[in-house]
Amino acid sequence: MIRKFIVLTVATLLAYASCGDNDLPGTDGGARPIGGHPGDAAGSHTANATSFTVFVLGAAGGPVESRVSGYLIHQANSSNMLGFDCGSLMSGLRQAAKVVSDTAPFNAVKGKLSSRDIHRNIISGYLVSHAHLDHMSGLIIASADERASNKTAGILPKAILGLNSTLVNIHNHAFNNQLWPDLALFGFYFYQQLIPGSVAHNVSGVQGLDAIAFPVSHGSNYLSTCFLLGTNLSNLEAADGSAILLCGDLGTDANEKSVYMNDMWTAVAPLVASSRLKAIMIECSFPTATSTGALFGHLTPALLFQELHTLAKKVGSDNALKGMKVLIQHIKENDVDDDTGVSASVGVVVQELESLNDLGVDLIFTHKKVGGAISV
C-alpha cells in the first residue's frame, strides 16, 4: 500500500534540528496564505540588474536523454543554487561549468569550477515539479556522487522539495531500495514538503529566498507543480522584492477540468503589476495542430498564449506582459534529424509562438541555450 506521508530518518532529523543560519531550514507551515488582489495595470518590463540566472542543462521534452529538462537557478549574490526538474544534470553541467565559473560570486574562486564541484558543493537542493523520469532521472543517476551528511565536516543532507504527492512518488518509486537505493535513509537527502498556500523561507539554505508551490494538472488526475521563487513573497502586493515562476509540465484548466491555472494567475498577478515578476518559465510541448487527446496534459502555442492572456486580464491591462521574459521549455524533439540535428516540429512550435505573440512578451527558447545561462 502506498504510504501517504513522508518519513524523515533519525539522522536526518538530528541534522535538521541542529540547523544554523546557513543550514537547511524546514517548511514554514505558519506562513500567511497567498493571494490578494491585482494592483494597478503594469507598464512594460524593462531590463535592470539581474535578479536570477537560469543555467540550462537540458530543455527538451524528449526523447534524447541528455537533452531533457534540467535547470539550475541562482539568486543574485547567493553562494548556492537550486536544481529545478533535473532530468538532465551531469551531462549539462559538463557543458555549463565554465559559464557557472564566470558568474558572480563563483568567479571569485581561483580556477574553473568542475561539474563535480558544482554538483557536490554549490547545488544545495532540488525542486521537483513531478516525478516523471524526464524531470528527475539526472538527479537519480548523479546521486551516486553525492555525500552522506556529516555535521563535523560541514556536509548536510540536500533537500528534495515538492508537493507531498511528488515526494511520495519519489520515495515509493525511485529512492525505494528497488529502483535505486533509499538515499534519504543514509543521510544524503531529506524530503521537504511545500504546502500550497504557504510560503517557505530560506529555501534549501539560500538566505532570503522564499518559495510558494502551485499545484497544476498534468493529465489523468496527476499533479505537477509551478514554483514561485523570490524575495518577500509573504506579501505579494508589496512593491519590493523580485520573483521568477518556474513551471513544470501542465495543461490548461479547460482541458484538465481544473481551476489550478486560474488560481495561480490570480496569485501572481500583483507581482506582474508591480514588475516584481522577472520571468515565467513554462512548457510548450506540441504544435497547435495536436489534438487534445494527444496532449497528455501539455500545452501548445495557442494554449500557452490563451493562458498568458488570462494572466494579462487579471492584471488589468493589455500591455501588462509587454517585455516580460517568457522562457519556453520542454518542446518535444521527436523528429530530430540525425545528420542535421534539426527538428521540424520544434521549428513549427517556435514559429507559432512568435506569430501569436500579440502581448509583446520576450520569448526566450531554452533549447537554444543548453550549456549556457539566461539572466532575468
Side-chain angles (χ1 to χ4, degrees), residues 4-139:
K4 299 297 184 183
F5 55 87
I6 298 299
V7 177
L8 294 179
T9 68
V10 172
T12 301
L13 285 170
L14 288 173
Y16 181 87
S18 59
C19 285
D21 290 340
N22 296 316
D23 294 339
L24 294 170
T27 298
D28 183 357
R32 63 177 285 277
I34 60 173
H37 301 285
D40 296 331
S44 62
H45 297 260
T46 54
N48 51 21
T50 296
S51 297
F52 300 93
T53 301
V54 178
F55 297 96
V56 184
L57 310 182
V64 180
E65 61 271 18
S66 62
R67 288 182 57 82
V68 294
S69 300
Y71 305 93
L72 299 181
I73 313 300
H74 179 243
Q75 183 187 34
N77 299 318
S78 172
S79 59
N80 296 106
M81 292 192 287
L82 286 175
F84 168 56
D85 277 6
C86 290
S88 292
L89 185 50
M90 296 307 294
S91 60
L93 265 181
R94 288 180 174 178
Q95 297 181 66
K98 184 180 187 305
V99 180
V100 173
S101 296
D102 291 340
T103 302
F106 310 117
N107 55 3
V109 178
K110 186 175 181 180
K112 175 189 167 185
L113 290 168
S114 70
S115 57
R116 193 183 201 198
D117 291 332
I118 299 166
H119 176 231
R120 282 186 156 195
N121 302 319
I122 294 177
I123 300 173
S124 62
Y126 296 91
L127 298 161
V128 183
S129 68
H130 62 295
H132 285 169
L133 286 176
D134 58 325
H135 294 260
M136 61 172 297
S137 58
L139 163 61

Side-chain angles (χ1 to χ4, degrees), residues 36-42 236-237 266 268-274 314-317:
H37 301 285
D40 296 331
L236 298 184
E237 296 182 17
T266 298
V268 304
L271 297 177
V272 178
S274 62
K314 288 183 179 293
V315 180
S317 169

